[in-house]
Amino acid sequence: LLLLCHAEEAAVVVSGLRNTDVFVGESATFTCELSHPGVKNVQWWLDGTPLHNNLVTEISEQDGRIHTLTLNDVACHDSGTVTFRAGPLISSAKLLVKGISL
């Protein structure tokens, strides 16, 4: 009975995204942990643009609860707001890409 009740609870964000500062050419990683797996319609966004898994953008999931986005080889124009959405849940954080001053 306890398991049944747990399955009917709405998932919540246990640990949300954190603001991240990186230098040009580095990787930026964002992680969001949910209370339990099975949340549908998981999507990552950067400044309102949906992100998809490719060479530059790595999207992964562990145990259905820990969702990770890694942006590789970032450029200044990648600075913006990263948003994670899983069903009704939303978490967002700022990405600041800093140029290297000589």
Side-chain angles (χ1 to χ4, degrees):
L1 183 62
L2 184 63
L3 284 173
L4 182 64
C5 290
H6 180 73
E8 290 174 1
E9 286 176 30
V12 295
V13 174
V14 176
S15 173
L17 305 184
R18 291 189 174 82
N19 291 344
T20 301
D21 293 8
V22 293
F23 286 105
V24 168
E26 293 183 341
S27 294
T29 300
F30 294 87
T31 302
C32 189
E33 182 179 348
L34 303 180
S35 55
H36 43 276
V39 180
K40 302 285 184 243
N41 302 323
V42 171
Q43 178 69 61
W44 289 91
W45 309 76
L46 176 58
D47 274 348
T49 302
L51 299 173
H52 303 283
N53 220 352
N54 55 43
L55 291 173
V56 181
T57 308
E58 294 176 33
I59 298 172
S60 63
E61 182 183 301
Q62 185 181 340
D63 302 331
R65 296 187 320 113
I66 300 170
H67 297 266
T68 304
L69 167 70
T70 301
L71 300 171
N72 294 308
D73 194 23
V74 295
C76 288
H77 66 257
D78 291 320
S79 292
T81 302
V82 172
T83 303
F84 170 80
R85 180 176 277 162
L89 306 174
I90 297 178
S91 179
S92 52
K94 297 279 188 212
L95 169 61
L96 176 61
V97 181
K98 298 179 283 193
I100 298 167
S101 54
L102 302 173

